[in-house]
Amino acid sequence: MPNKEIDGLSIAGDLYDFMSFEVLAGTGVGAHQFWTGLARIVADYGPRLRALLQERARLQAEIDAYHRAHGSEPFDATAYEAHLRAIGYLVEAPAPFSIRTANVDEAVARIAAPQFTVPCSNPRYLTRAISARWSSLYDALYTSDVIPEDGGAERGQSYNKVRGALVIERGRDFLDEVVPLASGSHRTVTAYVVVNGALMAAIDGGERTGLKDPEQFAAYQGRGEGLSSILLRDKGLHIELKIDRRHPVGREDRAGLADIILESALTTICDFEDTVVAVDVPDKINLYRNWLATVKGSLRVQFKKNGRVTDRLFSADYRYQAPNGGPSLLFAGRSLAMVRVTGPQRLTDIIRDADGAPIPEMLLDIAVAALAGLHDTRRSKPPRNSEAGSIYIIVPKLHGPAEAACLDEIFTLVEDMLDLPKNTVKLGLTDEESRTSLNLAASIHPVADRIAWIGTSPFERARDEVDTFMEAGPIGGAAALLAAPWMKAYEAGDVETALACGLGGMAQIAKGRWTEPEHLARLVAEQAEDLRQGASTASMPSPRAASLYAMAYHRIDVSQRQKDIHTALTADTMRVRFVEQLGTPANKAPLSADEIMRELEAHCHRTLAYLVRCIDRGVGCSRVPDARGVIRMEDRSAVRLSSLCVANWLRHGVVTREQVIDALRRMAERVDAQNKAEPGYRPMAPEFDGSAFNAAAELMFIQRGAAESDIDTIIAMRRREAKAGQPPEISNRFEFLKGAMGKLETGEAFYGTND
């Protein structure tokens, strides 16, 4: 279909038709209004964004020169800070302030709870995540490793009563802990009843007792002694007791309790970025169509599971009776959806500007995401995505205050274009670049009227640190990098600065995703530390994980922790945290040859295991085994980190080019073996010349520049190649530095491809 030319923009025809017939329809915004508005934003802010990216490159060149001059000396934090201030990398912190964001949903601002991050390319995952606001604690305990399998408690293929009994005990203990009875234990309850608006429990011996805190009884379904559901409330979250004496579990339970349902993931990030692979018009339309259907509540998917066709829709809201006999109460059945768009370094050729150049993809993403959000903000009847009438857009890869200020201006122009009240579009600020972390208060300040989310990303922060300190010397292992003192200071400092800027109770403070979906016992044991640090949410890999992690939000009062942390903050403690973040990731203690090889193999395996699904199948986030066979949820952030770690070792002579190539080939054979049972899998060995393997080799030998942009360009180019089924453009993959890399650096190889 021919492109549509409007006000200097050349728009892919299929995208124009999709926007006209699906997104714009029903919003009151005309096609001319939208496209001319976008054209003005592109004309004004395309050059601004390019200038900001050039400033990134200038600053990095200054930092590289400093490290080359001082790399052999002990790290001097005072001198390094002075250098960063002299070149403009560090700016003066603003005077103390509090954010002023209004109309933020309670699920975002006030209630601490788990969160999902889901690829917006997959409607099946989207419907599952949005509908998993409520999930079964019994199922999560039974199917996870939280309960050991010894003593006859194996999970097995059929229901194990021994394991079931342990699940029920664990569930009752949880109820005693967070919604205790005035006397006795939930373990000894034989029936729950509602009497004069109060929940009563009959326990052994016929005695009746109420809740220790009667206010925790929120609502119910059923009558008298024929209750079918009891809704309890703790720290803003709800716990549902399902009563069903005909259910296989309830039939054998003294109180007829068939399940405990926890309100778990209150919010879901629908991702356009690292968990998806969107390289052409059909891919982008798929993302936009799924986001549109999500905010409209109309997303529907059919798929086969266990030989049967399953029809999945969003969960409806739940209606309960009020304890005092008043009007019935409605509780949200859906998770609130946010969207994460691409960062400012990415370009897209599905629209070209007046000079024929690709436009910043972020500008298109923000405009389309906000336009789709109109279908929700202008809806008068429930269910609505945002009861507060807001649209939540998270933007990654921002470097510091100037880029945050530019983004606020872009959001304002989009609101004007769509006739939205100012600050309707709420901003999520991802703290994943060192220039943002070290200037965090100054980065929050220009968006103080619209920020509603801030979050960390350990893998991306580590990647940026490796890139920033590339010239300082060789780094150690990735595990040591992620556990380094500066990383701990970054995680704690993000929360402390957010609280100092008034985000507590006003916005969501998030931590990165748990990446080991099969190791949930560790999740329960370790991740509670995020809550103690004051984070109000963390991203979970599954509803099962969210249900288990939700228990921590009942055990730890995050709101009180935030108040305590904020009260204890002083200028001196925040200064110490800042200096700790200046620490270098360079490793002055040499690794053994065996340690180097194991680490190199792990990086090569991670990269190949991800890329073989990303490039061959278009899967941006999936469960992949690591080099030891441990299942991990991987997205592009892990590949960025691994490729830069190898680039660092090549730069400093820790490994040779030949060692990297040999490790890639050996790990390709291992990845082939791990995937051999998957239908349609295309092995990389013995030719080692497919798109996925070639991309991995290119990433390992990447020339430095805007690292994340180069990596994304390579992946996108190879994905397009795989989709088209075309032969590789480069005859010798390990000689690509002789010309082919020049195409990657200029973008010619990527942007010269037609959709």
PDB file of all heavy atoms in Angstrom, residues 566-598:
ATOM      1  N   HIS A 566      11.639   8.093  55.115  1.00  0.00           N
ATOM      2  CA  HIS A 566      11.623   9.531  54.821  1.00  0.00           C
ATOM      3  C   HIS A 566      11.994  10.347  56.048  1.00  0.00           C
ATOM      4  O   HIS A 566      12.756  11.327  55.962  1.00  0.00           O
ATOM      5  CB  HIS A 566      10.247   9.936  54.306  1.00  0.00           C
ATOM      6  CG  HIS A 566      10.186  11.352  53.832  1.00  0.00           C
ATOM      7  ND1 HIS A 566       9.391  12.306  54.451  1.00  0.00           N
ATOM      8  CD2 HIS A 566      10.820  11.995  52.818  1.00  0.00           C
ATOM      9  CE1 HIS A 566       9.533  13.458  53.834  1.00  0.00           C
ATOM     10  NE2 HIS A 566      10.392  13.301  52.839  1.00  0.00           N
ATOM     11  N   THR A 567      11.490   9.948  57.196  1.00  0.00           N
ATOM     12  CA  THR A 567      11.790  10.668  58.431  1.00  0.00           C
ATOM     13  C   THR A 567      13.280  10.595  58.769  1.00  0.00           C
ATOM     14  O   THR A 567      13.867  11.561  59.268  1.00  0.00           O
ATOM     15  CB  THR A 567      10.971  10.086  59.595  1.00  0.00           C
ATOM     16  OG1 THR A 567       9.576  10.226  59.296  1.00  0.00           O
ATOM     17  CG2 THR A 567      11.286  10.792  60.900  1.00  0.00           C
ATOM     18  N   ALA A 568      13.890   9.442  58.486  1.00  0.00           N
ATOM     19  CA  ALA A 568      15.301   9.239  58.841  1.00  0.00           C
ATOM     20  C   ALA A 568      16.270   9.867  57.846  1.00  0.00           C
ATOM     21  O   ALA A 568      17.476   9.952  58.121  1.00  0.00           O
ATOM     22  CB  ALA A 568      15.591   7.739  58.959  1.00  0.00           C
ATOM     23  N   LEU A 569      15.777  10.312  56.683  1.00  0.00           N
ATOM     24  CA  LEU A 569      16.669  10.858  55.664  1.00  0.00           C
ATOM     25  C   LEU A 569      17.292  12.169  56.125  1.00  0.00           C
ATOM     26  O   LEU A 569      16.620  13.039  56.674  1.00  0.00           O
ATOM     27  CB  LEU A 569      15.904  11.105  54.365  1.00  0.00           C
ATOM     28  CG  LEU A 569      15.552   9.890  53.515  1.00  0.00           C
ATOM     29  CD1 LEU A 569      14.762  10.337  52.290  1.00  0.00           C
ATOM     30  CD2 LEU A 569      16.810   9.136  53.078  1.00  0.00           C
ATOM     31  N   THR A 570      18.589  12.302  55.871  1.00  0.00           N
ATOM     32  CA  THR A 570      19.295  13.555  56.121  1.00  0.00           C
ATOM     33  C   THR A 570      20.160  13.863  54.898  1.00  0.00           C
ATOM     34  O   THR A 570      20.424  12.991  54.066  1.00  0.00           O
ATOM     35  CB  THR A 570      20.205  13.469  57.357  1.00  0.00           C
ATOM     36  OG1 THR A 570      21.258  12.519  57.091  1.00  0.00           O
ATOM     37  CG2 THR A 570      19.422  13.026  58.589  1.00  0.00           C
ATOM     38  N   ALA A 571      20.610  15.093  54.817  1.00  0.00           N
ATOM     39  CA  ALA A 571      21.490  15.464  53.703  1.00  0.00           C
ATOM     40  C   ALA A 571      22.766  14.636  53.725  1.00  0.00           C
ATOM     41  O   ALA A 571      23.293  14.253  52.673  1.00  0.00           O
ATOM     42  CB  ALA A 571      21.813  16.958  53.777  1.00  0.00           C
ATOM     43  N   ASP A 572      23.254  14.329  54.929  1.00  0.00           N
ATOM     44  CA  ASP A 572      24.494  13.552  55.036  1.00  0.00           C
ATOM     45  C   ASP A 572      24.296  12.121  54.536  1.00  0.00           C
ATOM     46  O   ASP A 572      25.161  11.587  53.824  1.00  0.00           O
ATOM     47  CB  ASP A 572      24.978  13.531  56.487  1.00  0.00           C
ATOM     48  CG  ASP A 572      25.535  14.879  56.931  1.00  0.00           C
ATOM     49  OD1 ASP A 572      25.855  15.704  56.046  1.00  0.00           O
ATOM     50  OD2 ASP A 572      25.632  15.111  58.147  1.00  0.00           O
ATOM     51  N   THR A 573      23.176  11.486  54.908  1.00  0.00           N
ATOM     52  CA  THR A 573      22.962  10.106  54.469  1.00  0.00           C
ATOM     53  C   THR A 573      22.759  10.037  52.955  1.00  0.00           C
ATOM     54  O   THR A 573      23.240   9.107  52.306  1.00  0.00           O
ATOM     55  CB  THR A 573      21.756   9.471  55.183  1.00  0.00           C
ATOM     56  OG1 THR A 573      20.576  10.249  54.908  1.00  0.00           O
ATOM     57  CG2 THR A 573      21.974   9.398  56.678  1.00  0.00           C
ATOM     58  N   MET A 574      22.095  11.017  52.393  1.00  0.00           N
ATOM     59  CA  MET A 574      21.897  11.013  50.950  1.00  0.00           C
ATOM     60  C   MET A 574      23.202  11.317  50.221  1.00  0.00           C
ATOM     61  O   MET A 574      23.450  10.806  49.119  1.00  0.00           O
ATOM     62  CB  MET A 574      20.806  12.010  50.557  1.00  0.00           C
ATOM     63  CG  MET A 574      19.440  11.623  51.113  1.00  0.00           C
ATOM     64  SD  MET A 574      18.072  12.567  50.424  1.00  0.00           S
ATOM     65  CE  MET A 574      17.961  11.884  48.774  1.00  0.00           C
ATOM     66  N   ARG A 575      24.061  12.113  50.821  1.00  0.00           N
ATOM     67  CA  ARG A 575      25.378  12.375  50.231  1.00  0.00           C
ATOM     68  C   ARG A 575      26.218  11.093  50.221  1.00  0.00           C
ATOM     69  O   ARG A 575      26.888  10.793  49.222  1.00  0.00           O
ATOM     70  CB  ARG A 575      26.084  13.467  51.027  1.00  0.00           C
ATOM     71  CG  ARG A 575      27.532  13.719  50.631  1.00  0.00           C
ATOM     72  CD  ARG A 575      27.653  14.234  49.223  1.00  0.00           C
ATOM     73  NE  ARG A 575      29.066  14.329  48.827  1.00  0.00           N
ATOM     74  CZ  ARG A 575      29.459  14.596  47.600  1.00  0.00           C
ATOM     75  NH1 ARG A 575      28.567  14.807  46.642  1.00  0.00           N
ATOM     76  NH2 ARG A 575      30.752  14.660  47.303  1.00  0.00           N
ATOM     77  N   VAL A 576      26.166  10.341  51.295  1.00  0.00           N
ATOM     78  CA  VAL A 576      26.902   9.069  51.353  1.00  0.00           C
ATOM     79  C   VAL A 576      26.401   8.123  50.267  1.00  0.00           C
ATOM     80  O   VAL A 576      27.198   7.484  49.568  1.00  0.00           O
ATOM     81  CB  VAL A 576      26.756   8.429  52.747  1.00  0.00           C
ATOM     82  CG1 VAL A 576      27.271   6.985  52.736  1.00  0.00           C
ATOM     83  CG2 VAL A 576      27.504   9.245  53.791  1.00  0.00           C
ATOM     84  N   ARG A 577      25.094   8.054  50.084  1.00  0.00           N
ATOM     85  CA  ARG A 577      24.520   7.183  49.062  1.00  0.00           C
ATOM     86  C   ARG A 577      24.969   7.623  47.665  1.00  0.00           C
ATOM     87  O   ARG A 577      25.273   6.784  46.813  1.00  0.00           O
ATOM     88  CB  ARG A 577      22.997   7.214  49.154  1.00  0.00           C
ATOM     89  CG  ARG A 577      22.323   6.094  48.429  1.00  0.00           C
ATOM     90  CD  ARG A 577      22.465   4.777  49.165  1.00  0.00           C
ATOM     91  NE  ARG A 577      21.552   4.694  50.291  1.00  0.00           N
ATOM     92  CZ  ARG A 577      21.627   3.743  51.232  1.00  0.00           C
ATOM     93  NH1 ARG A 577      22.569   2.823  51.157  1.00  0.00           N
ATOM     94  NH2 ARG A 577      20.774   3.718  52.224  1.00  0.00           N
ATOM     95  N   PHE A 578      25.032   8.916  47.451  1.00  0.00           N
ATOM     96  CA  PHE A 578      25.483   9.439  46.158  1.00  0.00           C
ATOM     97  C   PHE A 578      26.930   9.033  45.878  1.00  0.00           C
ATOM     98  O   PHE A 578      27.258   8.551  44.787  1.00  0.00           O
ATOM     99  CB  PHE A 578      25.343  10.962  46.149  1.00  0.00           C
ATOM    100  CG  PHE A 578      25.989  11.641  44.979  1.00  0.00           C
ATOM    101  CD1 PHE A 578      25.320  11.755  43.773  1.00  0.00           C
ATOM    102  CD2 PHE A 578      27.282  12.154  45.077  1.00  0.00           C
ATOM    103  CE1 PHE A 578      25.923  12.378  42.681  1.00  0.00           C
ATOM    104  CE2 PHE A 578      27.880  12.780  43.996  1.00  0.00           C
ATOM    105  CZ  PHE A 578      27.195  12.883  42.799  1.00  0.00           C
ATOM    106  N   VAL A 579      27.795   9.215  46.862  1.00  0.00           N
ATOM    107  CA  VAL A 579      29.213   8.888  46.672  1.00  0.00           C
ATOM    108  C   VAL A 579      29.387   7.394  46.432  1.00  0.00           C
ATOM    109  O   VAL A 579      30.213   6.985  45.598  1.00  0.00           O
ATOM    110  CB  VAL A 579      30.037   9.359  47.884  1.00  0.00           C
ATOM    111  CG1 VAL A 579      31.478   8.867  47.784  1.00  0.00           C
ATOM    112  CG2 VAL A 579      29.998  10.878  47.992  1.00  0.00           C
ATOM    113  N   GLU A 580      28.586   6.571  47.127  1.00  0.00           N
ATOM    114  CA  GLU A 580      28.667   5.117  46.916  1.00  0.00           C
ATOM    115  C   GLU A 580      28.342   4.752  45.473  1.00  0.00           C
ATOM    116  O   GLU A 580      28.925   3.809  44.918  1.00  0.00           O
ATOM    117  CB  GLU A 580      27.707   4.397  47.860  1.00  0.00           C
ATOM    118  CG  GLU A 580      28.144   4.406  49.312  1.00  0.00           C
ATOM    119  CD  GLU A 580      27.096   3.812  50.238  1.00  0.00           C
ATOM    120  OE1 GLU A 580      25.903   3.779  49.851  1.00  0.00           O
ATOM    121  OE2 GLU A 580      27.450   3.389  51.364  1.00  0.00           O
ATOM    122  N   GLN A 581      27.441   5.494  44.837  1.00  0.00           N
ATOM    123  CA  GLN A 581      27.074   5.184  43.456  1.00  0.00           C
ATOM    124  C   GLN A 581      28.148   5.571  42.457  1.00  0.00           C
ATOM    125  O   GLN A 581      28.116   5.120  41.300  1.00  0.00           O
ATOM    126  CB  GLN A 581      25.770   5.905  43.084  1.00  0.00           C
ATOM    127  CG  GLN A 581      24.540   5.341  43.760  1.00  0.00           C
ATOM    128  CD  GLN A 581      23.268   5.931  43.188  1.00  0.00           C
ATOM    129  OE1 GLN A 581      22.954   5.735  42.019  1.00  0.00           O
ATOM    130  NE2 GLN A 581      22.538   6.658  44.009  1.00  0.00           N
ATOM    131  N   LEU A 582      29.127   6.379  42.873  1.00  0.00           N
ATOM    132  CA  LEU A 582      30.205   6.764  41.969  1.00  0.00           C
ATOM    133  C   LEU A 582      31.236   5.659  41.777  1.00  0.00           C
ATOM    134  O   LEU A 582      32.099   5.752  40.926  1.00  0.00           O
ATOM    135  CB  LEU A 582      30.916   8.015  42.497  1.00  0.00           C
ATOM    136  CG  LEU A 582      30.148   9.333  42.432  1.00  0.00           C
ATOM    137  CD1 LEU A 582      30.941  10.431  43.123  1.00  0.00           C
ATOM    138  CD2 LEU A 582      29.870   9.728  40.990  1.00  0.00           C
ATOM    139  N   GLY A 583      31.157   4.599  42.587  1.00  0.00           N
ATOM    140  CA  GLY A 583      32.154   3.530  42.545  1.00  0.00           C
ATOM    141  C   GLY A 583      32.280   2.892  41.179  1.00  0.00           C
ATOM    142  O   GLY A 583      31.312   2.766  40.430  1.00  0.00           O
ATOM    143  N   THR A 584      33.487   2.461  40.840  1.00  0.00           N
ATOM    144  CA  THR A 584      33.759   1.878  39.535  1.00  0.00           C
ATOM    145  C   THR A 584      33.484   0.380  39.508  1.00  0.00           C
ATOM    146  O   THR A 584      33.764  -0.317  40.490  1.00  0.00           O
ATOM    147  CB  THR A 584      35.217   2.121  39.116  1.00  0.00           C
ATOM    148  OG1 THR A 584      35.501   1.358  37.954  1.00  0.00           O
ATOM    149  CG2 THR A 584      36.175   1.683  40.217  1.00  0.00           C
ATOM    150  N   PRO A 585      32.962  -0.156  38.392  1.00  0.00           N
ATOM    151  CA  PRO A 585      32.791  -1.608  38.275  1.00  0.00           C
ATOM    152  C   PRO A 585      34.064  -2.312  37.835  1.00  0.00           C
ATOM    153  O   PRO A 585      34.084  -3.529  37.711  1.00  0.00           O
ATOM    154  CB  PRO A 585      31.710  -1.734  37.191  1.00  0.00           C
ATOM    155  CG  PRO A 585      31.927  -0.558  36.317  1.00  0.00           C
ATOM    156  CD  PRO A 585      32.387   0.549  37.237  1.00  0.00           C
ATOM    157  N   ALA A 586      35.146  -1.560  37.549  1.00  0.00           N
ATOM    158  CA  ALA A 586      36.386  -2.195  37.119  1.00  0.00           C
ATOM    159  C   ALA A 586      36.909  -3.125  38.213  1.00  0.00           C
ATOM    160  O   ALA A 586      36.848  -2.822  39.403  1.00  0.00           O
ATOM    161  CB  ALA A 586      37.427  -1.136  36.784  1.00  0.00           C
ATOM    162  N   ASN A 587      37.393  -4.294  37.814  1.00  0.00           N
ATOM    163  CA  ASN A 587      37.843  -5.311  38.747  1.00  0.00           C
ATOM    164  C   ASN A 587      39.367  -5.372  38.719  1.00  0.00           C
ATOM    165  O   ASN A 587      39.958  -5.827  37.741  1.00  0.00           O
ATOM    166  CB  ASN A 587      37.248  -6.681  38.358  1.00  0.00           C
ATOM    167  CG  ASN A 587      37.682  -7.770  39.311  1.00  0.00           C
ATOM    168  OD1 ASN A 587      38.013  -7.501  40.452  1.00  0.00           O
ATOM    169  ND2 ASN A 587      37.688  -9.003  38.828  1.00  0.00           N
ATOM    170  N   LYS A 588      39.995  -4.908  39.800  1.00  0.00           N
ATOM    171  CA  LYS A 588      41.456  -4.886  39.834  1.00  0.00           C
ATOM    172  C   LYS A 588      42.043  -6.254  40.202  1.00  0.00           C
ATOM    173  O   LYS A 588      43.226  -6.492  39.995  1.00  0.00           O
ATOM    174  CB  LYS A 588      41.933  -3.835  40.843  1.00  0.00           C
ATOM    175  CG  LYS A 588      41.413  -2.423  40.555  1.00  0.00           C
ATOM    176  CD  LYS A 588      41.789  -1.923  39.186  1.00  0.00           C
ATOM    177  CE  LYS A 588      41.288  -0.508  38.923  1.00  0.00           C
ATOM    178  NZ  LYS A 588      41.588  -0.035  37.580  1.00  0.00           N
ATOM    179  N   ALA A 589      41.224  -7.158  40.749  1.00  0.00           N
ATOM    180  CA  ALA A 589      41.704  -8.499  41.085  1.00  0.00           C
ATOM    181  C   ALA A 589      41.480  -9.413  39.887  1.00  0.00           C
ATOM    182  O   ALA A 589      40.339  -9.633  39.478  1.00  0.00           O
ATOM    183  CB  ALA A 589      40.959  -9.042  42.305  1.00  0.00           C
ATOM    184  N   PRO A 590      42.542  -9.946  39.294  1.00  0.00           N
ATOM    185  CA  PRO A 590      42.379 -10.759  38.078  1.00  0.00           C
ATOM    186  C   PRO A 590      41.625 -12.057  38.366  1.00  0.00           C
ATOM    187  O   PRO A 590      41.770 -12.660  39.428  1.00  0.00           O
ATOM    188  CB  PRO A 590      43.822 -11.029  37.641  1.00  0.00           C
ATOM    189  CG  PRO A 590      44.647 -10.875  38.889  1.00  0.00           C
ATOM    190  CD  PRO A 590      43.959  -9.833  39.700  1.00  0.00           C
ATOM    191  N   LEU A 591      40.809 -12.472  37.397  1.00  0.00           N
ATOM    192  CA  LEU A 591      40.102 -13.740  37.477  1.00  0.00           C
ATOM    193  C   LEU A 591      41.006 -14.852  36.968  1.00  0.00           C
ATOM    194  O   LEU A 591      41.912 -14.622  36.156  1.00  0.00           O
ATOM    195  CB  LEU A 591      38.821 -13.689  36.642  1.00  0.00           C
ATOM    196  CG  LEU A 591      37.785 -12.635  37.024  1.00  0.00           C
ATOM    197  CD1 LEU A 591      36.663 -12.632  35.989  1.00  0.00           C
ATOM    198  CD2 LEU A 591      37.222 -12.884  38.399  1.00  0.00           C
ATOM    199  N   SER A 592      40.729 -16.078  37.414  1.00  0.00           N
ATOM    200  CA  SER A 592      41.485 -17.222  36.900  1.00  0.00           C
ATOM    201  C   SER A 592      41.029 -17.528  35.481  1.00  0.00           C
ATOM    202  O   SER A 592      39.958 -17.093  35.037  1.00  0.00           O
ATOM    203  CB  SER A 592      41.264 -18.442  37.794  1.00  0.00           C
ATOM    204  OG  SER A 592      39.932 -18.922  37.643  1.00  0.00           O
ATOM    205  N   ALA A 593      41.831 -18.296  34.763  1.00  0.00           N
ATOM    206  CA  ALA A 593      41.481 -18.664  33.391  1.00  0.00           C
ATOM    207  C   ALA A 593      40.168 -19.431  33.351  1.00  0.00           C
ATOM    208  O   ALA A 593      39.345 -19.230  32.442  1.00  0.00           O
ATOM    209  CB  ALA A 593      42.605 -19.488  32.773  1.00  0.00           C
ATOM    210  N   ASP A 594      39.946 -20.318  34.332  1.00  0.00           N
ATOM    211  CA  ASP A 594      38.689 -21.077  34.370  1.00  0.00           C
ATOM    212  C   ASP A 594      37.498 -20.161  34.627  1.00  0.00           C
ATOM    213  O   ASP A 594      36.434 -20.317  34.014  1.00  0.00           O
ATOM    214  CB  ASP A 594      38.757 -22.153  35.459  1.00  0.00           C
ATOM    215  CG  ASP A 594      39.642 -23.324  35.058  1.00  0.00           C
ATOM    216  OD1 ASP A 594      39.955 -23.450  33.853  1.00  0.00           O
ATOM    217  OD2 ASP A 594      40.016 -24.109  35.952  1.00  0.00           O
ATOM    218  N   GLU A 595      37.655 -19.195  35.537  1.00  0.00           N
ATOM    219  CA  GLU A 595      36.569 -18.257  35.826  1.00  0.00           C
ATOM    220  C   GLU A 595      36.237 -17.415  34.604  1.00  0.00           C
ATOM    221  O   GLU A 595      35.057 -17.170  34.296  1.00  0.00           O
ATOM    222  CB  GLU A 595      36.961 -17.348  36.992  1.00  0.00           C
ATOM    223  CG  GLU A 595      36.997 -18.043  38.340  1.00  0.00           C
ATOM    224  CD  GLU A 595      37.563 -17.161  39.438  1.00  0.00           C
ATOM    225  OE1 GLU A 595      38.488 -16.364  39.144  1.00  0.00           O
ATOM    226  OE2 GLU A 595      37.098 -17.264  40.589  1.00  0.00           O
ATOM    227  N   ILE A 596      37.260 -17.000  33.892  1.00  0.00           N
ATOM    228  CA  ILE A 596      37.033 -16.201  32.682  1.00  0.00           C
ATOM    229  C   ILE A 596      36.264 -17.006  31.650  1.00  0.00           C
ATOM    230  O   ILE A 596      35.310 -16.506  31.038  1.00  0.00           O
ATOM    231  CB  ILE A 596      38.378 -15.717  32.112  1.00  0.00           C
ATOM    232  CG1 ILE A 596      38.997 -14.660  33.034  1.00  0.00           C
ATOM    233  CG2 ILE A 596      38.198 -15.152  30.697  1.00  0.00           C
ATOM    234  CD1 ILE A 596      40.420 -14.289  32.681  1.00  0.00           C
ATOM    235  N   MET A 597      36.649 -18.260  31.452  1.00  0.00           N
ATOM    236  CA  MET A 597      35.990 -19.065  30.431  1.00  0.00           C
ATOM    237  C   MET A 597      34.542 -19.365  30.816  1.00  0.00           C
ATOM    238  O   MET A 597      33.648 -19.319  29.958  1.00  0.00           O
ATOM    239  CB  MET A 597      36.768 -20.362  30.214  1.00  0.00           C
ATOM    240  CG  MET A 597      36.314 -21.142  28.988  1.00  0.00           C
ATOM    241  SD  MET A 597      36.212 -20.132  27.472  1.00  0.00           S
ATOM    242  CE  MET A 597      37.904 -19.520  27.360  1.00  0.00           C
ATOM    243  N   ARG A 598      34.297 -19.670  32.086  1.00  0.00           N
ATOM    244  CA  ARG A 598      32.908 -19.921  32.518  1.00  0.00           C
ATOM    245  C   ARG A 598      32.039 -18.684  32.315  1.00  0.00           C
ATOM    246  O   ARG A 598      30.898 -18.777  31.874  1.00  0.00           O
ATOM    247  CB  ARG A 598      32.880 -20.362  33.985  1.00  0.00           C
ATOM    248  CG  ARG A 598      33.302 -21.809  34.222  1.00  0.00           C
ATOM    249  CD  ARG A 598      32.874 -22.285  35.593  1.00  0.00           C
ATOM    250  NE  ARG A 598      33.477 -21.489  36.655  1.00  0.00           N
ATOM    251  CZ  ARG A 598      34.644 -21.759  37.233  1.00  0.00           C
ATOM    252  NH1 ARG A 598      35.352 -22.809  36.812  1.00  0.00           N
ATOM    253  NH2 ARG A 598      35.128 -21.008  38.206  1.00  0.00           N
TER     254      ARG A 598
END
